[in-house]
């Protein structure tokens, strides 16, 4: 078998789209060249430019491959595909070898980068998604559907906007909020999705008399027809009752035209005139299409964005390539995704106006819910706009979450995560855990960033409205803003009311950043996980032997804030902020949404979580189980392990025992009254360790008395006892009563906080 192949390269010619053999390339002097199969893509482009040797052929911008597609018998129809990189070029050779009986060479059509003069000519016909539209903050769409591109200034008189939003905003629950699994702790960065087929007209061609439901359906069908056939048209008449378009080459080799009119008596649009298929040719090829605008793409990816608002722009580009066989620019794909988000979840600006409406409806249904807004004055340029405030921060907690925390483990994990929609900020989240190791989100806030003031706002509201009992643990990273907020809390988050502790993973990261000593990372973590003072001292000494600089750095952190042996049990064994980070991961899609949609996402998903966990708890109680599933399994393992333990001496009156593990001979003291064991597990987990089981068996004591109430199924059921109340249809909500200062803030808030790097 030969290791070479002949190429026939066409350039400065035409591409015939509708011929008896399918697509056909023509030009005056096609180039014949023989290449080896092992040639690289860059070498191929360089060779073609060298052989053509023309001032207009300095650099190849696009390569199109014509390949055969068997139809029946020995007949073939030729189709095309783009060659864009090494991988796509290598796909040509197997196809050539497979069809060598029908074709003796590979056919390519190449297009070269245009001069500045050529580009200026093409810009005049470029009528989709202008650069000005991309550079501006976003498109404002009026009630008539016409895009309004202003100069960025806004009319301060926005009276009655918020009242109308009850009908204009899509307050319904999208599928994205229904199907997301709250227990999925790790979601893929690029989720897989099904590629839906592009809807086309019945037999691939229009016909006189064909009916459409609306004017939008007509335009959509004509666009898709043109995109799929790589042809183009120009609109000659676009009126409320008529749509009339012709091929861009009408009168110069193609007679394609279409006229569609509204037939009032039939309540539909009907094709009244159609000249049949295109007969035009293309002189150039392109990886884009003028009618493949961001509106068309947004409609095509709408289902994907609804299922996963965190869909990457590169995935949008891949989806367009799959559906339309065109590679669109990053800018156009990004705009399309923003349009799709806005179409599904509501406009970015309107979402800020709708937020107080939604919260007021929620609080009307459940008065015990907590919502706290902070606003700022609004400015237009340097001038203060009277009677209008800018949304600065908002804290909220749902009543079922407030009730749930009373029956959870008495600790809280807090963390912040960035918002990735049009307007930036941070979502702050607080979570706890029930007795079956289920994560329970208890409070949220949207703030300007992880500043000291923002954390103070969040932690103050959290302490005042949700975490009202004392003796709780607070676990966070070592962010300076959190530390400053705790110090400003006037003792609300300080001993003895609360105990602030650090995530050991963040301490490990800080240590590595300081010393660049990855071989000591595990030792630092193991120091934190030490359950006993002896374990701590042994591991601390190992670190000190490797350099006093390491232990001097660690000594700057109070050991009760990072070591189990000294935390007083307020961690409940949790050394990291994994619980709250898991919730941030689950909320990844919602972080791409307008603000009201993000808040609604927390509402619907927590309702889903509580409903599911409530049913699971009821089922376990009905099955006769006293303890949660996770703890019951651990209790059983500890009970089995107690068989090799001897109780050598004891003080029954004070419930203090001494036990020895066999055959190792290790001795431990157990203080049942003080709920302590030398192994450290009893006071950390609040369930009997193997040594406690041995003492209870020796003295015929009931070990169930030493299991913390939080692990009992009756207590787990109480976590989810309160129910989320459905908000109902927005038309049934009470009249919106908030004052004008609170309600009219969105446009000014958006203008101040848009990210200029993305717009």
């Amino acid at each position: 078998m030969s290791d070479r192949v002949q190429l026939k390269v066409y350039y400065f010619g035409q591409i015939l789209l509708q011929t008896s053999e399918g697509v056909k390339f023509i030009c005056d002097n096609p180039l014949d060249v023989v290449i080896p199969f092992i040639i690289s893509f860059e070498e191929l482009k360089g060779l073609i430019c060298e052989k053509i040797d023309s001032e207009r052929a300095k650099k190849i911008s696009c390569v199109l491959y014509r390949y055969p597609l068997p139809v029946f018998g020995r007949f073939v129809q030729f189709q095309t595909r783009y060659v864009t990189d090494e991988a796509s070029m290598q796909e040509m050779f197997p196809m050539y070898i497979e069809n060598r009986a029908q074709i003796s060479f590979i056919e390519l059509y190449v297009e070269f980068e245009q001069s500045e003069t050529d580009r200026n000519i093409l810009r005049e016909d470029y009528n989709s998604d202008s650069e000005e539209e991309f550079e501006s903050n976003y498109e404002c769409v009026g009630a008539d559907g016409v895009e309004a591109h202003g100069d960025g200034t806004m009319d301060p008189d926005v009276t009655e906007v918020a009242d109308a939003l009850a009908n204009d905003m899509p307050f319904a629950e999208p599928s994205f909020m229904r199907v997301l699994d709250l227990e999925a702790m790790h979601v893929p960065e690029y989720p897989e999705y099904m590629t839906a087929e592009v809807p086309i007209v019945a037999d691939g061609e229009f016909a006189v008399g064909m009916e459409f439901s609306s004017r939008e359906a007509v335009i959509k069908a004509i666009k898709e027809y043109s995109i799929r056939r790589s042809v183009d048209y120009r609109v000659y008449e676009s009126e409320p009752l008529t749509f009339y378009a012709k091929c861009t080459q009408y009168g110069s080799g193609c007679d394609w035209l279409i006229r569609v009119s509204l037939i009032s008596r039939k309540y539909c649009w009907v094709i009244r005139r159609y000249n049949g298929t295109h007969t035009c040719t293309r002189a150039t090829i392109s990886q884009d299409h003028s009618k493949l605008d961001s509106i068309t793409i947004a409609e095509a990816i709408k289902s994907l964005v609804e299922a996963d608002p965190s869909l990457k722009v590169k995935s949008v580009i891949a989806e367009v390539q799959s559906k339309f066989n065109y590679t669109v620019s990053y800018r156009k794909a990004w705009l399309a995704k923003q349009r799709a988000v806005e179409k599904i979840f509501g406009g970015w600006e309107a979402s800020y106006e709708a937020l107080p409406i939604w919260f007021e409806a929620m609080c009307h249904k459940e008065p015990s819910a907590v919502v706290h807004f902070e606003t700022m004055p609004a400015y237009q340029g340097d001038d203060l706009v009277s009677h209008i405030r800018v949304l600065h921060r908002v804290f909220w907690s749902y009543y079922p979450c407030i009730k749930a925390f009373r029956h959870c483990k008495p600790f809280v994990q807090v963390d912040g995560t960035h918002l990735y929609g049009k307007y930036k900020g941070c979502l702050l989240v607080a979570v706890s855990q029930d007795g079956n190791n289920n994560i329970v989100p208890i409070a949220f806030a949207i703030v300007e960033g992880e500043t000291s003031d923002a954390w103070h706002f969040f932690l103050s509201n959290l302490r005042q409205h949700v975490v009202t009992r004392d003796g709780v643990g607070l676990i966070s990273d070592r962010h300076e803003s959190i530390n400053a907020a705790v110090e400003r809390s006037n003792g609300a988050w300080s001993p003895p009311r609360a105990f602030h502790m650090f995530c050991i993973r963040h301490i490990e990261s800080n240590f590595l950043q300081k010393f660049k000593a990855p071989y000591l990372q595990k030792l630092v973590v193991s120091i934190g996980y030490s359950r006993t003072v002896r374990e701590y001292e042994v591991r601390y000494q190992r670190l000190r032997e490797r350099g006093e600089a390491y232990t001097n750095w660690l000594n700057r952190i109070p050991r009760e804030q990072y070591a189990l042996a000294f935390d007083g049990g307020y961690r409940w064994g949790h050394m990291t902020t994994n619980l709250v980070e898991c919730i941030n991961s689950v909320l990844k899609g919602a972080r791409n949404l307008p603000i009201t949609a993000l808040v609604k996402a927390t509402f619907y998903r927590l309702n889903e979580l509580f409903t599911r966990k409530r049913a699971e708890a009821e089922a376990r109680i009905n099955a006769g189980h006293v303890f949660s599933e996770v703890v019951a399994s651990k209790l059983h393992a500890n009970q089995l392990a107690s068989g090799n333990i001897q109780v050598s001496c004891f003080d029954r009156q004070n419930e203090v025992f001494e036990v020895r593990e066999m055959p190792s001979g290790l001795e431990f003291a157990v203080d049942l009254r003080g709920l302590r064991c030398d192994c450290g597990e009893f006071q950390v987990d609040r369930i009997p360790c193997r040594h406690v089981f041995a003492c209870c068996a020796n003295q015929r004591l009931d070990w169930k008395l030493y299991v913390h109430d939080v692990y009992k199924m009756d207590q787990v059921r109480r976590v989810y006892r309160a129910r989320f109340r459905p908000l109902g249809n927005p038309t049934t909500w009470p009249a919106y009563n908030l004052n004008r200062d609170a309600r009219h803030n969105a446009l000014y808030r958006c203008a101040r906080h848009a990210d200029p790097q993305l717009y």
Side-chain angles (χ1 to χ4, degrees):
M1 179 182 296
S2 173
D3 61 351
R4 292 178 172 269
V5 62
Q6 180 181 349
L7 293 184
K8 188 176 288 291
V9 182
Y10 300 83
Y11 57 97
F12 303 149
Q14 291 182 323
I15 304 171
L16 305 181
L17 302 176
Q18 306 286 344
T19 71
S20 59
E21 58 184 42
V23 180
K24 186 176 181 179
F25 299 154
I26 59 172
C27 75
D28 294 336
N29 297 299
L31 171 68
D32 291 314
V33 60
V34 177
I35 63 168
F37 286 128
I38 60 173
I39 192 172
S40 70
F41 184 49
E42 293 301 323
E43 290 173 339
L44 174 62
K45 292 194 294 184
L47 178 63
I48 293 174
C49 291
E50 180 182 349
K51 293 290 185 182
I52 295 178
D53 190 22
S54 169
E55 285 297 321
R56 297 172 58 193
K58 292 184 177 181
K59 188 174 182 181
I60 292 176
S61 63
C62 194
V63 180
L64 199 64
Y65 168 47
R66 180 177 182 254
Y67 68 94
L69 190 67
V71 180
F72 59 89
R74 295 175 58 85
F75 293 94
V76 295
Q77 282 282 322
F78 285 90
Q79 301 293 331
T80 59
R81 65 170 56 188
Y82 288 104
V83 182
T84 58
D85 52 23
E86 199 74 34
S88 57
M89 186 191 76
Q90 292 300 327
E91 291 176 0
M92 296 190 310
F93 301 133
M95 298 176 69
Y96 160 73
I97 294 172
E98 182 180 349
N99 298 279
R100 192 151 42 182
Q102 285 91 359
I103 57 175
S104 57
F105 48 81
I106 291 178
E107 291 182 284
L108 300 179
Y109 192 100
V110 298
E111 186 174 295
F112 300 95
E113 286 192 357
Q114 298 164 331
S115 65
E116 187 63 29
T117 302
D118 294 332
R119 284 195 291 269
N120 290 337
I121 294 173
L122 287 178
R123 286 196 189 106
E124 296 178 3
D125 294 328
Y126 187 67
N127 57 4
S128 64
D129 303 325
S130 68
E131 292 292 338
E132 290 78 12
E133 178 184 39
F134 181 66
E135 294 297 334
S136 65
N137 279 349
Y138 204 65
E139 310 85 45
C140 297
V141 181
D144 58 356
V146 178
E147 293 182 2
H149 301 283
D151 58 2
T153 60
M154 285 158 288
D155 184 358
D157 186 10
V158 285
T159 308
E160 307 305 328
V161 171
D163 291 326
L165 289 170
N167 294 324
D168 294 340
M169 277 294 295
F171 282 106
E173 175 189 353
S175 64
F176 159 68
M177 299 178 187
R178 296 192 300 266
V179 302
L180 188 62
D181 185 1
L182 279 166
E183 294 185 297
M185 293 297 101
H186 302 283
V187 293
E189 177 128 16
Y190 300 102
E192 296 180 357
Y193 50 84
M194 297 298 294
T195 301
E197 288 296 325
V198 180
I200 58 174
V201 291
D203 59 354
E205 277 296 336
F206 296 107
V208 173
M210 187 176 291
E211 298 179 353
F212 297 87
S213 60
S214 65
R215 183 177 183 276
E216 290 72 22
V218 170
I219 298 173
K220 182 173 182 287
I222 297 175
K223 277 187 177 181
E224 291 171 351
Y225 171 91
S226 302
I227 293 168
R228 291 175 67 86
R229 287 158 179 77
S230 298
V231 293
D232 205 353
Y233 65 89
R234 184 174 288 109
V235 178
Y236 280 79
E237 185 178 348
S238 182
E239 301 293 340
L241 303 180
T242 305
F243 186 84
Y244 180 37
K246 295 180 180 181
C247 176
T248 53
Q249 298 186 37
Y250 187 84
S252 302
C254 184
D255 296 329
W256 187 91
L257 63 80
I258 186 170
R259 178 185 287 275
V260 192
S261 302
L262 174 64
I263 307 301
S264 301
R265 66 178 184 276
K266 300 180 70 174
Y267 300 101
C268 66
W269 288 69
V270 179
I271 296 180
R272 306 303 297 270
R273 183 181 176 189
Y274 186 63
N275 278 9
T277 186
H278 283 264
T279 57
C280 56
T281 60
R282 281 192 304 167
T284 61
I285 59 176
S286 173
Q287 294 192 53
D288 205 345
H289 194 289
S290 64
K291 295 302 182 290
L292 188 56
D293 53 18
S294 61
I295 298 175
T296 303
I297 298 171
E299 190 65 29
I301 64 172
K302 186 176 176 181
S303 60
L304 303 181
V305 174
E306 183 175 4
D308 178 21
S310 63
L311 185 71
K312 301 294 183 182
V313 175
K314 62 173 65 177
S315 298
V316 174
I317 295 173
E319 180 69 7
V320 173
Q321 173 66 34
S322 174
K323 283 189 172 185
F324 301 106
N325 200 28
Y326 286 97
T327 303
V328 297
S329 66
Y330 187 96
R331 173 178 61 86
K332 186 181 289 188
W334 184 89
L335 280 173
K337 180 188 172 184
Q338 300 308 309
R339 288 182 183 274
V341 168
E342 187 168 352
K343 186 75 172 177
I344 300 165
F345 301 102
W348 298 94
E349 287 75 16
S351 186
Y352 276 93
E353 296 286 358
L355 186 63
I357 303 175
W358 194 89
F359 271 133
E360 185 178 85
M362 189 263 289
C363 291
H364 175 77
K365 297 288 185 177
E366 183 49 80
S368 297
V370 174
V371 179
H372 184 199
F373 283 94
E374 277 193 2
T375 60
M376 300 186 302
Y379 289 88
Q380 198 164 20
D382 295 329
D383 299 328
L384 176 68
V385 181
S386 60
H387 308 301
I388 296 180
R389 303 287 295 180
V390 177
L391 174 64
H392 190 37
R393 307 179 183 119
V394 58
F395 170 94
W396 74 97
S397 181
Y398 304 108
Y399 175 69
C401 299
I402 298 172
K403 292 281 289 183
F405 181 70
R406 301 173 187 176
H407 308 286
C408 288
K409 298 175 183 178
F411 76 88
V412 180
Q413 292 186 10
V414 297
D415 195 18
T417 182
H418 294 289
L419 302 180
Y420 297 121
K422 179 180 178 183
Y423 300 109
K424 303 305 164 187
C426 279
L427 174 68
L428 306 184
V429 184
V431 306
S432 188
Q433 190 183 55
D434 70 9
N436 199 29
N437 287 4
N438 295 310
I439 302 172
V440 184
I442 59 175
F444 305 87
I446 294 176
V447 297
E448 71 279 10
E450 290 197 67
T451 65
S452 175
D453 289 342
W455 274 111
H456 179 68
F457 167 79
F458 180 65
L459 292 177
S460 297
N461 280 284
L462 181 66
R463 196 66 166 124
Q464 179 181 352
H465 301 294
V466 186
V467 185
T468 55
R469 55 175 163 168
D470 289 342
V472 297
L474 173 67
I475 305 175
S476 73
D477 58 29
R478 295 181 65 225
H479 202 291
E480 293 182 1
S481 297
I482 301 178
N483 295 334
V486 169
E487 292 176 2
R488 292 172 55 188
S489 66
N490 295 323
W493 290 106
S494 302
R497 296 193 61 195
F499 301 84
H500 184 205
M501 296 159 289
F502 297 137
C503 169
I504 191 64
R505 192 177 65 251
H506 287 88
I507 292 178
E508 172 198 23
S509 176
N510 297 153
F511 180 87
L512 182 62
Q513 185 178 6
K514 172 69 175 178
F515 294 107
K516 308 295 188 297
Y519 53 91
L520 294 178
Q521 281 179 276
K522 290 185 178 180
L523 182 54
V524 172
V525 173
S526 66
I527 290 174
Y529 272 95
S530 300
R531 290 176 177 267
T532 66
V533 174
R534 177 169 176 76
E535 283 182 1
Y536 174 87
E537 290 175 345
V538 169
R539 292 166 179 171
Y540 179 88
Q541 188 61 32
R542 289 178 188 170
L543 182 64
R544 186 175 184 178
E545 290 170 356
R546 286 159 175 79
E548 288 195 7
Y550 303 136
T551 50
N552 289 340
W553 180 87
L554 197 60
N555 289 341
R556 297 190 184 100
I557 309 172
R559 57 187 183 180
E560 60 269 17
Q561 290 190 297
Y562 71 90
L564 283 173
F566 302 98
D567 69 2
Y570 293 106
R571 281 183 178 272
W572 285 71
H574 291 275
M575 290 299 299
T576 69
T577 53
N578 276 0
L579 300 183
V580 67
E581 288 173 9
C582 287
I583 290 299
N584 288 339
S585 176
V586 169
L587 289 172
K588 182 176 70 170
R591 285 149 51 195
N592 293 266
L593 301 181
I595 189 170
T596 300
L598 187 158
V599 173
K600 290 194 306 182
T602 64
F603 178 86
Y604 287 116
R605 289 177 209 165
L606 287 177
N607 176 52
E608 176 193 349
L609 171 68
F610 274 60
T611 301
R612 186 191 312 160
K613 296 305 176 183
R614 187 186 307 115
E616 291 176 0
E618 292 289 350
R620 188 163 178 82
I621 290 175
N622 293 337
H625 297 287
V626 177
F627 301 109
S628 66
E629 184 178 2
V630 171
V631 169
S633 175
K634 193 168 185 178
L635 288 170
H636 180 66
N638 288 345
Q639 191 171 24
L640 292 177
S642 67
N644 293 329
I645 298 176
Q646 295 180 352
V647 181
S648 59
C649 65
F650 61 89
D651 180 353
R652 183 179 178 86
Q653 182 177 356
N654 295 315
E655 295 183 339
V656 176
F657 303 86
E658 203 170 88
V659 300
R660 178 184 290 112
E661 290 187 349
M662 301 301 291
S664 66
L666 293 175
E667 294 185 348
F668 299 87
V670 179
D671 182 357
L672 294 182
R673 186 173 297 178
L675 302 178
R676 293 188 61 83
C677 177
D678 281 354
C679 73
E681 294 182 12
F682 191 20
Q683 52 268 36
V684 169
D685 298 331
R686 270 76 162 187
I687 63 173
C689 62
R690 59 189 183 278
H691 308 117
V692 172
F693 269 107
C695 294
C696 291
N698 182 271
Q699 298 299 309
R700 295 195 175 110
L701 300 174
D702 186 3
W703 58 265
K704 295 183 181 67
L705 298 174
Y706 303 103
V707 181
H708 197 283
D709 287 346
V710 76
Y711 297 115
K712 297 177 181 178
M713 282 310 305
D714 182 61
Q715 190 81 342
V716 173
R717 177 173 56 181
R718 291 179 183 180
V719 173
Y720 306 102
R721 184 165 54 188
R723 299 173 183 265
F724 285 80
R725 299 186 181 182
L727 300 186
N729 191 293
T731 58
T732 66
W733 294 352
Y736 182 58
N737 294 320
L738 292 185
N739 59 51
R740 190 174 189 270
D741 284 359
R743 65 195 281 191
H744 297 306
N745 55 59
L747 295 179
Y748 293 94
R749 162 62 162 86
C750 296
R752 291 167 62 93
H753 293 275
D755 187 346
Q757 295 182 353
L758 292 179
Y759 294 84

